Amino acid sequence: PRKWIKKEIKISDIPADTINKLKEKIKIVFSEINPQIIVSELLPKEALDMFKEEELNGKNKKKILQEISIFENLKSKGLTSDNSVYVEFGCGAASLSKTIQILCQNKSSHILIDRMKYSGSNKYDALIKSRLSQDSFINREVIDIKDLDLSKYNCQNMIGISKHLCGNACELSFNSIINYINFKKEEKLNEKEGKNYLFALGFATCCHYLLTPDNYCNLSFFKTLGFSEEDFSVLTRMTSWSTLKEDSENKEIGYKIKTLIDLGRCKYLV
């Protein structure tokens, strides 16, 4: 089940000795693993030219540039194609889907997933629908990700996307896509002619502090690094340091913990 647990433990409640030991351990582990972090904000001119100047320089500038970069990172890895179906998890108003539709030159379909019901004036569904190409579609499901079944959609190319997917909503989204992949594998066994399928994920993760040993997808990864479940619970609290305004050792530690958490997610998917 989906768990949104308010963390009762504050970093200030944790003994300084425990914090310091975990800080030193993170430094050592990070140095030993030496994860190849590629910070790639991809904003090619041809992509930027698809948007109005006032959009790229207005109050939503940062948001649109992030959305463009998510798509361009997928594209740079060969993980996009015409007529793909984009499943936006935790879509909210569907701003990310709106941007991706433009970048796909309207040759895309969109499944919008959110457990909250948004009013018509606060979402982009109608705009996306008005731009659909002949073979494209849009569908919004008001549903918790844990209850989502994508097998009803007959898609050859499915790409999961999200911007700022909080806590273990990432894990639940992974499971939705994995279940769909397994469904298509079984279907492919019964096909007379084999088809080529494309499945991909492009997520911007956030709110790592909401993760617990029970809802994180790859706790075994942290255990192989020598961390206990209790350690993991403290480490997730320490990720909040990454939002500190001033550069500091703690801010760097916060980023390193978040990187290890996301690295564990990548290993889980592989």
Side-chain angles (χ1 to χ4, degrees), residues 83-98:
N83 303 314
S84 289
V85 177
Y86 290 86
V87 184
E88 185 177 357
F89 295 96
C91 65
S95 175
L96 177 56
S97 290
K98 172 185 70 74

Side-chain angles (χ1 to χ4, degrees), residues 3 7 25 35 56 90 107 166 197 214 223 234 243 247 265:
K3 296 181 180 180
K7 295 278 187 159
K25 194 167 185 176
L56 298 178
K107 297 175 182 177
C166 295
Y197 293 95
D214 293 330
K223 287 184 176 180
V234 177
T243 61
D247 290 338
R265 286 168 161 166

Side-chain angles (χ1 to χ4, degrees), residues 96-142:
L96 177 56
S97 290
K98 172 185 70 74
T99 297
I100 284 181
Q101 185 189 41
I102 294 171
L103 294 167
C104 290
Q105 299 179 27
N106 301 334
K107 297 175 182 177
S108 58
S109 293
H110 300 272
I111 301 171
L112 310 176
I113 308 298
D114 203 291
R115 61 178 180 167
M116 301 291 290
K117 188 173 183 178
Y118 279 70
S119 65
S121 60
N122 293 327
K123 60 188 181 184
Y124 293 104
D125 301 38
L127 179 60
I128 294 171
K129 186 176 182 179
S130 70
R131 294 172 173 171
L132 291 174
S133 61
Q134 185 175 356
D135 299 323
S136 300
F137 70 89
I138 177 175
N139 188 42
R140 176 181 283 266
E141 291 198 39
V142 181

Side-chain angles (χ1 to χ4, degrees), residues 43-86:
L43 300 169
K45 184 178 184 302
E46 59 268 25
L48 297 176
D49 287 345
M50 294 183 182
F51 296 83
K52 297 177 182 178
E53 185 175 343
E54 55 265 31
E55 289 182 291
L56 298 178
N57 294 300
K59 63 179 182 179
N60 293 324
K61 174 183 177 180
K62 182 178 179 180
K63 178 175 69 175
I64 292 176
L65 293 182
Q66 288 174 336
E67 293 167 352
I68 293 172
S69 187
I70 288 173
F71 176 81
E72 292 298 329
N73 270 280
L74 284 166
K75 185 178 178 180
S76 71
K77 302 293 188 298
L79 299 176
T80 61
S81 68
D82 286 348
N83 303 314
S84 289
V85 177
Y86 290 86

Side-chain angles (χ1 to χ4, degrees), residues 13 33 39 72 104 127 141 146 154 211-212 257:
D13 296 331
I33 294 179
V39 180
E72 292 298 329
C104 290
L127 179 60
E141 291 198 39
K146 69 179 176 61
N154 185 24
L211 292 167
T212 69
I257 298 169

